[in-house]
Structures are given as C-alpha cells and as structure tokens.
Amino acid sequence: MAKKTYDLLFKLLLIGDSGVGKTCVLFRFSDDAFNTTFISTIGIDFKIKTVELHGKKIKLQIWDTAGQERFHTITTSYYRGAMGIMLVYDITNAKSFENISKWLRNIDEHANEDVERMLLGNKCDMEDKRVVPKAKGEQIAREHGIRFFETSAKANINIEKGFLTLAEDILRKVSSLNRRTHAASEYDKCC
C-alpha cells in the first residue's frame, strides 16, 4: 500500500453563479495558470493541491461546481462533507452578487453547520467594469460572520491568500476539536 504523503485532507467547495470565474480561481491556485477560453463546468470537477501549514502537510481537495441551475441537484450532494466553501461572485456582474443570499441559503440547507465559509469578489482587476462596490462585499461578509477577499484569477490577486486563509481556519477548528476530544478521552481514562 502506498505511504500517505499528507497529514490532513480538507475538502473545499467553490460555488457561485455561472461565469463568475470559479474554474479560473481554481486553476490559478492549483496550476498557477490562467486561461481565457474556459468552457462552462458541466456538473462538477476537482483539483488537488498539497500545502504546508504550521508543520502539517494538508491535502486540499477542491471541488469546482457548475453554477447553472440545471446542475443544482447534482452539485448539492457535494456540500456534504465539505470543510470549507468559497462563495464566488463577479464584481462586474450585479446579478451574481444579488444571488449571494441564495447561495448562502444553499450552504445552510446542504452543508455541515460548522463548515468554514468565505466570500470572494472575483475579477477585481476589471476596475473599469466594476458594478459591485467592495464595501457591499465587506458588508454581506460581516453580516454573515465570514471572511471576504476581492480576487483576480487573471492578475493573481489574493488567490493563494484566500485558499491558505480558508485552510488555516479549518486547521484551527480541527486542532481545537482534536484538543477537546483528546482532553475528554484523557479525563475518561483517569476518572
């Protein structure tokens, strides 16, 4: 049997409307590449990247979901078991921002209640076409108690920072949970 080359496995999910750049965000992070000729994701796709955080090798299994409504029933099953969800909108597309509340409801309905969430306002390199002010993204993130970054897959702005921050938040939660579980089992042994 092959030796395990990582300490932890985190399942992450990218969600949001079709065309907001989820696949471009994923490819920028996993392959450090940007391609302007992507075709829409059909159903679901994933990439794997291993990162090192606080002395732990963490394998990130990142699922890229189709944003179209017709794939909704396929993609909701992928929420289960996700430890982190990146909700992406396009700063040049007001409708993609308006749909954030719908996507947040989907997370509440289909994901584990302790899932780490993050909001990304993508395409921040297109300032001349911006229709969603940064303050609006910050506000909705504050209201829901989640982190927020403006990103650009094309210009490679905050992509790695977003993924690593999400992974760190999950690691902190997992470590805290393990400490509590370990403390409880030590208590059970002695008392």
Side-chain angles (χ1 to χ4, degrees):
M1 192 164 107
K3 184 182 175 295
K4 196 168 82 166
T5 57
Y6 58 91
D7 299 309
L8 297 162
L9 173 68
F10 293 170
K11 178 182 173 185
L12 308 180
L13 201 56
L14 283 164
I15 64 171
D17 283 8
S18 184
V20 297
K22 298 182 298 292
T23 302
C24 290
V25 165
L26 175 56
F27 272 82
R28 174 58 78 186
F29 179 66
S30 65
D31 301 348
D32 194 21
F34 180 79
N35 186 342
T36 55
T37 58
F38 277 113
I39 52 169
S40 283
T41 303
I42 297 174
I44 196 138
D45 194 7
F46 79 95
K47 288 270 192 187
I48 289 175
K49 181 167 179 169
T50 303
V51 298
E52 192 155 326
L53 291 173
H54 306 291
K56 297 252 187 247
K57 273 197 182 329
I58 300 168
K59 185 187 257 189
L60 301 178
Q61 186 184 70
I62 309 159
W63 293 86
D64 177 19
T65 64
Q68 299 99 320
E69 193 62 41
R70 65 191 164 134
F71 295 116
H72 182 72
T73 52
I74 298 170
T75 57
T76 53
S77 63
Y78 287 91
Y79 284 73
R80 284 191 295 281
M83 300 166 86
I85 297 178
M86 288 181 149
L87 175 48
V88 186
Y89 70 91
D90 173 353
I91 69 152
T92 71
N93 178 333
K95 186 81 177 130
S96 73
F97 182 76
E98 291 161 18
N99 285 336
I100 293 295
S101 54
K102 175 190 79 160
W103 289 106
L104 286 166
R105 275 194 308 277
N106 283 345
I107 293 171
D108 290 343
E109 287 172 25
H110 303 291
N112 300 340
E113 63 183 48
D114 64 342
V115 70
E116 284 294 327
R117 301 171 299 162
M118 177 179 282
L119 182 63
L120 299 182
N122 196 34
K123 304 186 186 180
C124 71
D125 59 293
M126 299 173 71
E127 196 57 49
D128 57 325
K129 293 184 172 65
R130 176 188 289 273
V131 295
V132 181
K134 184 176 185 177
K136 277 191 158 188
E138 291 168 335
Q139 180 187 350
I140 201 164
R142 229 183 354 267
E143 287 169 5
H144 291 275
I146 59 179
R147 291 191 188 265
F148 171 72
F149 290 103
E150 280 202 338
T151 58
S152 168
K154 185 177 185 180
N156 198 8
I157 299 169
N158 284 337
I159 300 294
E160 185 155 336
K161 186 176 184 181
F163 278 98
L164 295 181
T165 300
L166 186 59
E168 280 198 9
D169 290 346
I170 296 167
L171 179 60
R172 201 173 3 266
K173 188 177 277 183
V174 166
S175 298
S176 168
L177 187 67
N178 286 345
R179 277 194 299 276
R180 284 197 305 271
T181 305
H182 180 73
S185 66
E186 289 300 311
Y187 177 81
D188 290 344
K189 283 182 198 168
C190 77
C191 308

